[in-house]
Amino acid sequence: MTKNGSADPSRKVRQRGSIDVVDAKVAVDLATAQTYSENVFLFVPNLIGYTRIILAGLSLHFMSYHPKYCTLAYVISCLLDAVDGQAARALGQTSKFGAVLDMVTDRCTTSCLLCYLSSAYPNFALVFQFLIALDFSSHYMHMYSSLVTGSRSHKLVTSEVSRILWYYYNDSRTLFFFCAGNELFFVSLYLMKWVDTPIGLGAYSSWLAHLTWPELVAIPSAFVCAGKNIINLVQLWKASKILVGVDLAERAHAREVQAKKE
């Protein structure tokens, strides 16, 4: 206890199980010697992850000259993101490699599309660059804060830490809604550069007379995209506070150890 009667942060012990530390050389040797019957690289959800990467690569290949092929490959890659996790749980093949592969694929795929949008909409290039930076930084800091606090998954967020992140990560429907809506908005922006045929809603309103279907999809999905990036900001802020809290606890512990030596 501190002088004011509050709990000493240096003495606070996690009740949840922490990650067992494995030596890096031992881990490399285990990965090299793994058998075909239990090869993490060949787990079904990880094979789905490789498929996502191939499809994302194809979408990037077609992005500058074939919007139909590009959109089809990109959308399928994104939809498979909802399949690999279910496959992992159903088959008992969850893995740290798969979790990181999934996150890295998500970040890189979206960032590549945003890079293209930066060139397609040069007046908004700074906005797209900010979104890339926010997406990478918030997820990296959240992942790192999860590791240093002993969590086995970045999705294991308690309501005590953040009710917003808890609801976002622990409700699969909410997670899918925001992730899908976010990607849908960016894909709509991409297609707006290729589709210029109005969908014929002029009879309902003059404002809708020249509206194309990508523009129609972009309007509601823009609000979902905004919500997703607000969540990213919350994630970045909470992760920053967790890391600072860990720093303070470690410094307090170091002072306590030094005091005992003296």
Side-chain angles (χ1 to χ4, degrees), residues 39-53 77 79-103 105-106:
N39 190 319
V40 176
F41 288 123
L42 299 180
F43 278 3
V44 172
N46 295 338
L47 294 177
I48 295 174
Y50 307 146
T51 304
R52 290 188 61 207
I53 294 173
S77 177
L79 290 177
L80 286 176
D81 186 27
V83 177
D84 55 4
Q86 295 181 356
R89 290 184 290 273
L91 299 173
Q93 294 183 342
T94 57
S95 64
K96 295 177 178 62
F97 170 74
V100 175
L101 176 68
D102 183 59
M103 176 180 286
T105 302
D106 290 341

Side-chain angles (χ1 to χ4, degrees), residues 3-253:
K3 293 180 179 179
N4 60 7
S6 61
D8 186 347
S10 67
R11 294 181 177 273
K12 187 173 179 60
V13 179
R14 281 186 68 90
Q15 298 300 315
R16 293 167 57 190
S18 60
I19 298 175
D20 295 329
V21 177
V22 180
D23 182 78
K25 179 61 169 62
V26 173
V28 170
D29 290 342
L30 286 172
T32 304
Q34 62 187 327
T35 61
Y36 180 79
S37 60
E38 191 178 26
N39 190 319
V40 176
F41 288 123
L42 299 180
F43 278 3
V44 172
N46 295 338
L47 294 177
I48 295 174
Y50 307 146
T51 304
R52 290 188 61 207
I53 294 173
I54 294 172
L55 288 170
L58 287 174
S59 72
L60 295 176
H61 173 73
F62 291 117
M63 192 167 286
S64 61
Y65 69 95
H66 207 305
K68 289 184 179 179
Y69 289 168
C70 169
T71 303
L72 181 63
Y74 192 92
V75 169
I76 294 176
S77 177
C78 290
L79 290 177
L80 286 176
D81 186 27
V83 177
D84 55 4
Q86 295 181 356
R89 290 184 290 273
L91 299 173
Q93 294 183 342
T94 57
S95 64
K96 295 177 178 62
F97 170 74
V100 175
L101 176 68
D102 183 59
M103 176 180 286
V104 170
T105 302
D106 290 341
R107 306 284 73 77
C108 292
T109 302
T110 304
S111 296
C112 288
L113 176 56
L114 289 175
C115 286
Y116 180 87
L117 293 178
S118 295
S119 62
Y121 300 91
N123 292 336
F124 297 95
L126 188 61
V127 176
F128 294 125
Q129 291 166 3
F130 168 76
L131 293 178
I132 293 173
L134 175 61
D135 195 35
F136 269 101
S137 59
S138 67
H139 282 85
Y140 177 82
M141 291 189 71
H142 177 64
M143 174 73 82
Y144 191 78
S145 68
S146 299
L147 289 174
V148 299
T149 52
S151 178
R152 291 185 175 275
S153 171
H154 68 283
K155 293 184 178 180
L156 296 177
V157 181
T158 64
S159 58
E160 295 175 341
V161 174
S162 171
R163 293 192 64 85
I164 292 176
L165 295 181
W166 174 82
Y167 192 70
Y168 175 72
Y169 279 117
N170 287 275
D171 189 307
S172 58
R173 294 168 299 182
T174 302
L175 183 63
F176 178 81
F177 174 77
F178 278 103
C179 291
N182 186 61
E183 296 296 338
L184 187 61
F185 175 66
F186 295 141
V187 171
S188 298
L189 292 180
Y190 166 72
L191 289 173
M192 282 166 53
K193 282 295 183 178
W194 298 91
V195 179
D196 54 11
T197 304
I199 53 178
L201 296 178
Y204 300 96
S205 172
S206 58
W207 181 75
L208 299 174
H210 302 288
L211 200 67
T212 64
W213 71 263
E215 292 172 338
L216 183 64
V217 174
I219 293 172
S221 60
F223 294 98
V224 182
C225 177
K228 174 68 166 63
N229 284 282
I230 290 173
I231 292 172
N232 282 346
L233 285 170
V234 172
Q235 182 170 254
L236 178 64
W237 175 239
K238 289 294 182 179
S240 299
K241 292 182 71 175
I242 290 172
L243 292 174
V244 168
V246 170
D247 285 334
L248 292 173
E250 290 179 347
R251 290 170 67 85
H253 179 68

